[in-house]
């Protein structure tokens, strides 16, 4: 009950008029920053941080926390409506979100994204509240070997996303793996495939790649197909009423969001695993255990729910190591850590003892930020869905401009803009030849983490691969991978044997 | 008629005012100043630059806006090239720190120290070698003993390859007479996780990363002298009898090549005044656990030159460059 009491005290600190106002402003800004492709929570928090130094630390952190949450909500909007994921986790959201909006259910997809973000985020915060320090210590058990095995599991499960043609999916995955090897790897410190260009020295930036492959290739598709979204007869179905979920739909996403929330939160706590792995593994879990798992990827609200709940819960999870150990679990948490030091707070195990007001104020502000973000988001859905009614002749140039500005703004570099345009053209032809794009991007995000962890594990063991089998966690994960890879083969073998058996019996 | 007179008077006033303010210096910014940060928003250099802009504003010495321009990429090479392209301009300044110069050396970048104009150095960072607080390695001798029993088997983590932490490791490996194994991580956070989880035996930490001493036991510091509290208990390598293990990471500022001499003087004065504001000393230097210092343009240039040669020699010994 100690925790509940502290939490109540936290609410007493955080629930003042100015703090609620700060949360609302933060959430609103976050939704805007998150919805703009190219701007993410890291940039948003970095830009707002200096302004908050004038404020009371608690008000400041509440505003930043709400901005972080708002970003998570906003990131899914462009993924669903325009097929331009604002950040890496939103790639998974677009898998079902964009088909839904093409089918005229954009409103429902947005609504699902918000509600499941809320549920997933809340699950994550509740776990953080009651088990934060314990979870942070569990996270420490994941060293390089364990993280490598986990990422390998995620990479192998891309196989479930491959769509109609597994071979094309695999080819797409490997293109992603190869693109990820460009630049100086942490593992060896040597530049690879950079062709002596300083722009490639730190590797390809994810945002220009994703904007090009999804957004700009979309522009090309729209120009070639001359599809006019407004002519699809959707206009009658895009009000607020049509965006709300009915009872059955609402009930169907609840278990999905809860499951994904728990899983996403656990992944978020692990060092270096990140929100993308969280939302992706949640999606895979749903595909495996969900009732309509096989239909995921064709435009199912359950897919949107799994991804969004997973990434919001992972975001909450990344705060556990920050607050209880002073170790940032994500890029955003790292910027926040900088903020804590500016306020003169020393993050670490003693933060709970020395500054209980601040810690519990922060945790309670997450509940507050989450509520504010869902309210602000729900208020703008009816306006957002109207975007789908804009005629293609206006929409195409607007998306093209967003693509150019978005890719320029990441590094203030024209190189990224050219790269984005090139990636868009490549993706356009890949799509035309029915090569799926999502596996490429997910492989691109996951590969560097796999390489780094693998190399670290082998550095530690002095090249002995047995390190993966000696660790019980890594061994379990590797066994899972083996089972997943062998299962379809075994199933096919079993079916053939049985069919032969039937034939033999019939004869 | 009266209107014209009024305008004339106002204009005259303005000119006089400008002349008064500008009197102290032969050079003044005539337009907005661009402050290049060759790393992304939210990183260490970015926060450093943004705080400095606040401190400069407090001095009131720059009557134009100073705009931060993040130009990340190429481990600083993209931003450095951008600054280089502003040859002769007094309105462009950039953050310049030890890590940035190391990547110039390691990556053999096209823009080197000689291609920039050092302006000032305002703070120093240093490093530690540490183990888990619960570890039975109590001091540096214990660590060396372990390494003697298991040559190359003792793992030391650090952030990145070819950066400050790696250089500090190379010094350790060279000067203690035993072999260790370096394990590079993506950031200090990941290093700390791996150390606390028992996946590595020891780790390199920067003073500025403010790692909590309740979690990590620091065995020695790379600083030249003992640090202030709360690190006053940590011995220097020199005290422990190991020479040549001193490493201070400077955090300074530079301008483009051929920056006018008057502009260099102007910025030197601005940085000196900013370094004395409470904003800078308390909110930045103290809160980030850095060591305050001030070196002017000339002194900085000499210091950077010396450090560059030292970095090159150390990386050569470590086999990172030819």
């Amino acid at each position: 009950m100690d925790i509940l009491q502290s939490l109540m005290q936290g609410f007493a600190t955080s629930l003042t008029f100015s703090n609620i106002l700060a949360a609302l402003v933060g959430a609103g800004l976050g939704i805007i920053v998150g919805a703009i492709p190219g701007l993410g929570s890291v940039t948003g928090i970095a830009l707002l941080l200096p302004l908050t130094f004038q404020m009371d630390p608690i008000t400041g952190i509440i505003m930043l926390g709400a901005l972080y949450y708002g970003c998570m909500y906003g990131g899914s909007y462009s993924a669903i409506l325009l097929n331009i994921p604002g950040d890496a986790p939103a790639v998974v959201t677009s898998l079902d979100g964009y088909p839904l909006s093409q089918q005229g259910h954009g409103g429902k997809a947005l609504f699902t994204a918000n509600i499941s973000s809320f549920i997933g985020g809340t699950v994550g915060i509740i776990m953080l509240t009651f088990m934060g320090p314990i979870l942070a210590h569990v996270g420490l058990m994941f060293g390089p070997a364990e993280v490598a095995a986990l990422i390998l599991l995620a990479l192998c499960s891309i196989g479930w996303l491959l769509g109609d043609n597994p071979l094309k999916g695999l080819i797409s995955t490997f293109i992603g793996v190869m693109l990820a090897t460009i630049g100086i790897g942490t593992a060896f410190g040597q530049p690879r495939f950079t062709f002596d260009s300083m722009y490639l020295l730190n590797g390809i930036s994810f945002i220009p790649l994703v904007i090009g492959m999804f957004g700009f290739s979309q522009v090309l598709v729209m120009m070639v197909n001359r599809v006019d979204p407004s002519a699809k007869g959707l206009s009658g179905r895009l009000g607020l009423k049509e965006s709300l979920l009915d009872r059955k739909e609402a009930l169907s996403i609840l278990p999905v969001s809860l499951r994904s929330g728990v899983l996403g939160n656990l992944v978020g706590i692990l060092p270096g695993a990140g929100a993308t792995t969280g939302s992706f593994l949640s999606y895979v879990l749903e595909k495996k255990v969900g009732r309509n798992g096989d239909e995921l990827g064709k435009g199912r609200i359950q897919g949107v729910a799994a991804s969004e709940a997973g990434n919001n819960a992972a975001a909450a999870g990344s705060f556990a190591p920050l607050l209880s150990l002073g170790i940032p679990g994500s890029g955003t948490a790292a910027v926040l850590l900088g903020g804590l030091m500016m306020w003169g707070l020393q993050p670490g195990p003693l933060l709970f003892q020395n500054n209980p007001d601040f810690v519990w104020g922060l945790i309670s502000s997450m509940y507050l930020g989450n509520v504010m973000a869902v309210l602000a988001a729900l208020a703008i859905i009816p306006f957002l869905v109207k975007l789908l009614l804009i005629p293609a002749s206006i929409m195409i140039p607007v998306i093209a401009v967003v693509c150019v500005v978005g890719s320029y703004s990441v590094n203030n570099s024209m190189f990224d803009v050219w790269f984005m345009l090139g990636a868009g053209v490549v993706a356009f032809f890949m799509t035309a030849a029915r090569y799926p794009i999502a596996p490429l991007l997910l492989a691109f995000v996951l590969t560097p983490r796999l390489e780094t962890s693998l190399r670290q594990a082998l550095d530690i063991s002095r090249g002995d691969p047995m390190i993966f089998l000696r660790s019980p966690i890594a061994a379990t994960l590797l066994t899972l991978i083996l089972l997943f890879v062998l299962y379809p083969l075994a199933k096919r073998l079993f079916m053939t044997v049985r069919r032969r058996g039937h034939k033999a019996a019939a004869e | 008629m009266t209107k014209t007179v009024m305008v004339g008077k106002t204009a005259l006033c303005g000119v006089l005012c400008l002349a008064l303010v500008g009197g102290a210096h032969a050079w003044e910014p005539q337009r907005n100043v661009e402050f290049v940060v060759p790393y992304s928003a939210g990183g260490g250099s970015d926060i450093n630059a943004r705080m400095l802009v606040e401190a400069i504003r407090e001095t009131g010495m720059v009557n134009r806006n100073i705009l931060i321009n993040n130009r990340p990429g190429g481990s600083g090479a993209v931003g450095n090239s951008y600054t280089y392209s502003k040859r002769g301009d007094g309105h462009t300044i950039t953050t310049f720190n030890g890590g940035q110069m190391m990547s110039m050396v390691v990556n053999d970048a096209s823009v080197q120290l000689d291609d920039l104009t050092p302006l000032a150095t305002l703070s120093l960072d240093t490093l530690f070698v540490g183990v888990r607080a619960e570890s039975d390695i109590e001091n540096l001798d214990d660590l060396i003993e372990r390494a003697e029993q298991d040559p190359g088997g003792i793992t030391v983590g650090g952030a990145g390859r070819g950066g400050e932490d790696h250089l500090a490791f190379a010094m350790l490996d060279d000067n203690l007479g035993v072999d260790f194994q370096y394990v590079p991580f993506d950031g200090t956070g990941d290093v700390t996780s791996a150390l606390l989880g028992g996946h590595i035996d020891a780790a390199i930490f920067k003073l500025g990363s403010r790692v909590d001493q309740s979690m990590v036991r620091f065995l020695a510091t790379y600083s030249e002298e003992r640090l202030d509290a709360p690190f006053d208990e940590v011995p220097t390598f020199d005290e422990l009898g190991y020479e040549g293990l001193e490493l201070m990471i400077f955090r300074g500022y530079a301008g483009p090549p051929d920056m006018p001499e008057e502009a260099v003087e102007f910025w030197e004065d601005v940085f000196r005044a900013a370094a004395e504001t409470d904003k800078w000393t308390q909110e930045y230097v103290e809160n980030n656990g850095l060591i305050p210092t001030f070196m002017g343009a000339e002194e900085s240039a000499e210091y950077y030159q010396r450090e560059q040669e030292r970095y090159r020699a150390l990386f050569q010994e470590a086999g990172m460059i030819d």
Side-chain angles (χ1 to χ4, degrees):
Chain A
M1 277 309 96
D2 220 20
I3 290 175
L4 274 183
Q5 208 170 15
S6 311
L7 185 64
M8 285 306 140
Q9 261 165 7
F11 272 116
T13 345
S14 65
L15 285 177
T16 65
F17 177 72
S18 60
N19 288 350
I20 293 175
L21 191 70
L24 197 61
V25 171
L29 280 176
I31 289 173
I32 296 168
V33 168
I36 299 173
L39 290 184
S41 54
V42 179
T43 326
I45 288 190
L47 295 180
L48 192 63
L49 196 61
L51 297 178
T52 58
F53 293 148
Q54 327 292 338
M55 302 175 187
D56 176 55
I58 294 175
T59 312
I61 196 88
I62 285 176
M63 196 163 181
L64 294 175
L67 180 118
Y68 189 28
Y69 268 101
C71 278
M72 290 292 175
Y73 283 81
S76 63
Y77 294 164
S78 48
I80 291 170
L81 294 174
L82 306 173
N83 204 14
I84 308 178
D87 50 10
V91 171
V92 188
T93 309
S94 71
L95 292 177
D96 279 277
Y98 187 64
L100 272 169
S101 99
Q102 277 181 318
Q103 293 155 18
H105 301 301
K108 276 195 200 301
L110 291 173
F111 197 77
T112 307
N114 284 341
I115 295 294
S116 53
S117 292
F118 178 72
I119 300 173
T122 309
V123 169
I125 300 165
I126 291 174
M127 287 173 73
L128 176 65
T129 310
F130 292 95
M131 305 188 288
I134 303 167
L135 288 176
H137 283 99
V138 172
L140 290 181
M141 289 159 62
F142 277 70
E146 291 79 7
V147 171
L150 181 76
I151 305 282
L152 191 64
L153 175 66
L155 257 177
C156 288
S157 38
I158 294 181
W160 288 317
L161 286 175
L162 301 184
D164 356 326
N165 188 333
L167 189 63
K168 287 183 175 178
L170 262 181
I171 291 174
S172 178
T173 307
F174 275 99
I175 296 176
V177 171
M178 289 195 290
L179 286 178
T181 56
I182 294 176
I184 302 178
T186 345
F188 296 98
Q190 299 291 335
R192 296 179 297 197
F193 313 117
T194 58
F195 303 100
D196 281 337
S197 158
M198 65 179 176
Y199 294 102
L200 289 176
L201 212 52
N202 282 11
I204 292 171
S205 304
F206 176 74
I207 297 288
L209 182 70
V210 75
I211 291 179
M213 293 227 135
F214 274 96
F216 190 65
S217 75
Q218 197 65 38
V219 169
L220 297 176
V221 169
M222 282 165 88
M223 289 200 302
V224 172
N225 293 349
R226 292 170 182 266
V227 187
D228 203 333
S230 63
K232 274 192 265 173
L234 306 175
S235 40
R237 297 195 268 148
L238 284 175
L240 176 62
K241 224 173 107 203
E242 289 71 25
S243 302
L244 294 176
L245 301 175
D246 62 33
R247 213 180 124 81
K248 211 176 114 203
E249 287 168 326
L251 281 178
S252 79
I253 63 162
L254 187 66
V256 183
S257 306
L258 291 175
R259 265 200 296 272
S260 307
V262 174
L263 178 65
N265 185 258
L266 293 175
V267 175
I269 289 161
L270 306 180
T276 314
T277 321
S279 71
F280 183 57
L281 285 177
S282 301
Y283 188 81
V284 168
L285 177 76
E286 199 44 41
K287 197 144 181 149
K288 277 282 126 178
V289 308
R291 198 172 291 163
N292 300 324
D294 297 340
E295 290 175 18
L296 250 56
K298 292 172 187 152
R300 289 286 168 277
I301 52 171
Q302 288 83 357
V304 174
S307 158
E308 282 300 305
N311 89 51
N312 278 50
S318 71
F319 276 91
L322 177 68
L323 291 179
S324 44
L325 300 170
I327 301 169
S330 65
T332 314
V335 178
L336 274 179
L337 179 74
L340 294 182
M341 295 203 265
M342 291 291 185
W343 284 309
L345 297 165
Q346 170 69 55
L350 298 177
L351 190 64
F352 274 90
Q353 289 162 32
N354 296 346
N355 306 84
D357 277 4
F358 180 82
V359 174
W360 291 104
L362 170 64
I363 293 179
S364 66
S365 81
M366 290 184 185
Y367 291 94
L368 186 67
N370 207 10
V371 172
M372 286 299 164
V374 77
L375 290 179
L378 290 180
I380 62 172
I381 286 186
F383 302 101
L384 276 176
V385 290
K386 295 277 190 274
L387 275 176
L388 293 174
L389 300 178
I390 298 171
S393 54
I394 297 173
M395 208 56 190
I396 291 174
V398 168
I399 300 179
V401 168
V402 169
C403 288
V404 170
V405 173
S407 50
Y408 180 79
S409 63
V410 187
N411 295 327
N412 292 339
S413 146
M414 272 313 283
F415 176 84
D416 285 345
V417 176
W418 294 116
F419 183 81
M420 179 278 292
L421 295 174
V425 174
V426 170
F428 172 72
F429 285 110
M430 283 178 68
T431 315
R434 305 188 66 79
Y435 284 89
I437 301 295
L440 188 159
L441 292 170
L442 291 166
F444 180 80
V445 175
L446 296 173
T447 304
R449 298 184 195 282
L450 174 67
E451 194 198 349
T452 308
S453 307
L454 183 67
R455 187 63 230 173
Q456 285 163 350
L458 292 174
D459 272 345
I460 290 171
S461 72
R462 278 189 281 175
D464 181 6
M466 290 305 284
I467 186 171
F468 293 102
L469 299 182
R470 270 197 300 271
S471 145
I473 299 174
T476 312
L477 289 167
L478 290 175
T479 315
L480 271 179
I481 297 173
L482 206 63
L483 286 178
F484 285 145
V485 173
L486 290 182
Y487 174 70
L489 291 177
K491 196 170 145 191
R492 201 181 298 165
L493 195 71
F494 181 68
M495 296 294 261
T496 333
V497 169
R498 209 165 65 164
R499 216 176 298 136
R500 280 204 194 127
H502 276 302
K503 257 187 201 161
E507 279 163 13
Chain B
M1 188 65 184
T2 17
K3 229 178 197 175
T4 337
V5 174
M6 280 287 281
V7 172
K9 273 186 179 168
T10 323
L12 191 66
C13 238
V15 170
L16 277 177
C17 286
L18 271 180
L20 280 176
V21 174
H25 291 284
W27 188 90
E28 284 268 312
Q30 302 302 313
R31 50 189 162 86
N32 286 346
V33 173
E34 204 174 354
F35 197 167
V36 181
V37 176
Y39 299 94
S40 40
S45 291
D46 184 63
I47 292 179
N48 174 297
R50 284 174 204 275
M51 285 305 283
L52 184 66
V53 170
E54 292 288 313
I56 292 177
R57 191 170 296 150
E58 239 171 56
T59 67
M61 286 170 70
V62 180
N63 51 359
R64 301 283 169 162
N65 289 322
I66 302 179
L67 307 172
I68 304 268
N69 186 356
N70 295 95
R71 296 247 163 200
S75 301
V78 172
N80 295 338
S81 299
Y82 181 79
T83 309
Y84 179 74
S85 73
K86 301 280 175 157
R87 180 180 288 271
D89 182 14
H91 297 86
T92 306
I93 52 175
T94 178
T95 58
F96 191 71
N97 62 48
Q100 203 170 332
M101 198 163 78
M102 279 175 207
S103 69
M104 283 176 170
V105 171
V106 173
N107 298 323
D108 194 20
S110 56
V111 174
Q112 291 287 339
L113 172 64
D114 294 342
D115 300 316
L116 298 172
T117 311
L119 297 173
T121 309
L122 265 57
S123 52
L124 296 171
D125 198 349
T126 189
L127 301 103
F128 296 108
V129 55
V131 294
R132 208 149 53 115
E134 303 89 64
S135 169
D136 46 9
I137 298 174
E138 299 273 349
N139 51 45
L140 193 66
D141 288 334
D142 287 353
L143 186 72
I144 295 171
E145 200 177 307
R146 284 293 175 87
E148 276 166 356
Q149 286 161 8
D150 184 9
I154 299 298
T155 48
V156 182
R161 207 173 256 276
E164 298 96 322
D165 294 18
H166 194 186
L167 192 74
F169 169 81
M171 296 168 87
L172 200 68
D173 209 39
D174 281 346
N175 292 300
L176 296 192
V178 279
D179 281 341
F180 295 99
Q181 169 72 44
Y182 184 63
V183 185
F185 287 82
D186 283 342
T188 305
D190 290 350
V191 179
T192 319
S193 298
L195 185 71
L196 297 187
H199 306 285
I200 49 177
D201 301 307
I204 305 286
F205 292 102
K206 281 183 214 60
L207 173 62
S209 54
R210 301 280 308 265
V211 173
D212 200 312
Q213 287 191 87
S214 64
M215 300 190 297
V216 176
R217 176 185 299 141
F218 293 122
L219 304 179
T221 160
Y222 287 81
S223 65
E224 283 151 14
E225 287 157 32
R226 275 222 181 196
L227 297 163
D228 293 337
F231 300 106
D232 50 348
E233 300 281 307
V234 185
T236 65
F237 278 107
D238 199 40
E239 287 173 42
L240 294 171
Y242 296 97
E243 281 174 23
L245 280 144
E246 272 121 36
L247 186 59
M248 306 295 270
I249 311 287
F250 61 87
R251 285 171 182 251
Y253 308 90
D258 302 334
M259 197 183 208
E261 214 153 290
E262 297 81 25
V264 174
E265 273 168 36
F266 171 80
W267 286 115
E268 199 177 6
D269 289 345
V270 169
F271 287 133
R272 184 178 291 120
E276 281 160 15
T277 58
D278 284 351
K279 186 121 214 146
W280 183 257
T281 52
Q282 282 166 20
E283 288 185 35
Y284 183 73
V285 176
E286 197 172 304
N287 283 344
N288 282 287
L290 298 173
I291 305 162
T293 184
F294 183 83
M295 288 185 248
E298 214 167 296
E299 203 183 338
S300 295
E302 282 165 21
Y303 181 68
Y304 298 170
Q305 197 67 45
R306 272 204 311 276
E307 287 296 283
Q308 189 196 33
E309 277 151 29
R310 209 158 73 100
Y311 293 169
R312 186 161 285 139
L314 283 162
F315 278 126
Q316 261 164 2
E317 265 175 63
M320 291 289 296
I321 52 172
D322 304 326

